[in-house]
Amino acid sequence: MATHIDMKQPILDKNDRLAEENRALFAEKHVFVLNILASPGSGKTSTILATIEALRDEFNIAVIEGDIASSVDSEKIKAQGIAAVQINTGGACHLESDMIKRAVDVLDLDELDLILLENVGNLVCPTDFDLGENAKVMILSVPEGDDKPLKYPGVFQVSQAVVLNKIDTMPVFNFDQDAFCDHVKQLNPNAPIFPLSATTGQGVEAWAEWLAERVRAVQ
């Protein structure tokens, strides 16, 4: 008789315990933490930069960048005068709560209002891992196609909001925005959808105000 050993649950249990410690620390310091999930090339970093530009006059912001390798994205953030911590997972397809715990040790939480976590580009693995964040947000770009909610329902179900990026490319791609929104609403009726272009600035204001309301609520 074969014995089944569930290796995933002990990993998740440990992760969740550390996530609760992170959450308690963020609450104590009145810092709002946003976990950003998306595919590679969806425009995570450009959306983060646009968000920073929209909110930096009101909030003190830091970024934690998760990548399998390199520090390209964190250097872009630092160039804008924003504190950034780079996490290289060395092959892991998602961030975990112990990585976040170590990353925030180098940040002055007493001086921060908002931390943006750029998770590793992946629509599957990061959905299972609580980092102690206040909210998860999913970014999808127009070139990826309107069928992604059907193929990757989990990430849309766990997200408190959905950003549809690169809407300036809509004329070039066969993207059915109405169908996309219908798919998302079926999976997650309460998640607002923010169509925007991080590079042109179109639609960024509405997205930034949604986030700002939540940051103010924890201060």
Side-chain angles (χ1 to χ4, degrees):
M1 180 177 176
T3 301
H4 176 71
I5 300 175
D6 185 353
M7 297 301 293
K8 184 178 181 182
Q9 198 56 48
I11 294 172
L12 288 175
D13 288 346
K14 178 184 177 183
N15 181 83
D16 288 348
R17 286 196 301 273
L18 290 175
E20 286 305 318
E21 293 179 15
N22 290 345
R23 185 170 286 107
L25 176 62
F26 298 145
E28 177 190 342
K29 300 296 185 179
H30 303 285
V31 179
F32 188 93
V33 180
L34 185 70
N35 185 2
I36 300 170
L37 312 176
S39 298
S42 63
K44 294 191 299 297
T45 304
S46 61
T47 301
I48 287 172
L49 289 169
T51 303
I52 288 170
E53 187 62 29
L55 298 179
R56 66 187 304 163
D57 289 345
E58 181 176 356
F59 304 118
N60 291 323
I61 305 170
V63 177
I64 296 176
E65 286 282 349
D67 286 296
I68 291 175
S70 91
S71 59
V72 173
D73 291 339
S74 62
E75 295 302 325
K76 292 178 183 177
I77 303 297
K78 290 177 182 177
Q80 301 303 311
I82 298 294
V85 181
Q86 180 71 50
I87 298 175
N88 290 131
T89 65
C93 59
H94 56 270
L95 294 176
E96 297 181 12
S97 55
D98 65 324
M99 301 176 187
I100 303 305
K101 190 176 184 68
R102 283 178 277 149
V104 298
D105 280 345
V106 304
L107 295 171
D108 186 353
L109 296 182
D110 290 319
E111 297 297 321
L112 292 175
D113 305 304
L114 171 63
I115 297 176
L116 302 172
L117 305 177
E118 180 175 343
N119 217 310
V120 179
N122 190 318
L123 293 183
V124 180
C125 302
T127 62
D128 290 334
F129 286 83
D130 182 6
L131 305 179
E133 72 273 15
N134 295 82
K136 290 181 174 72
V137 166
M138 158 69 183
I139 301 176
L140 183 90
S141 64
V142 167
E144 294 173 77
D146 54 55
D147 60 350
K148 288 300 179 291
L150 300 176
K151 294 182 176 180
Y152 302 97
V155 68
F156 291 91
Q157 290 170 322
V158 301
S159 296
Q160 277 72 51
V162 175
V163 172
L164 178 61
N165 192 23
K166 304 186 183 180
I167 60 170
D168 52 312
T169 68
M170 199 84 72
V172 181
F173 294 94
N174 185 25
F175 188 97
D176 187 333
Q177 187 171 347
D178 289 338
F180 171 75
C181 292
D182 286 345
H183 296 327
V184 173
K185 289 302 181 185
Q186 289 172 18
L187 292 168
N188 191 342
N190 297 320
I193 301 170
F194 295 99
L196 60 81
S197 169
T199 54
T200 70
Q202 181 183 357
V204 171
E205 183 178 354
W207 150 247
E209 182 54 34
W210 179 90
L211 179 55
E213 289 176 1
R214 280 143 187 82
V215 179
R216 295 178 195 124
V218 304
Q219 291 183 323

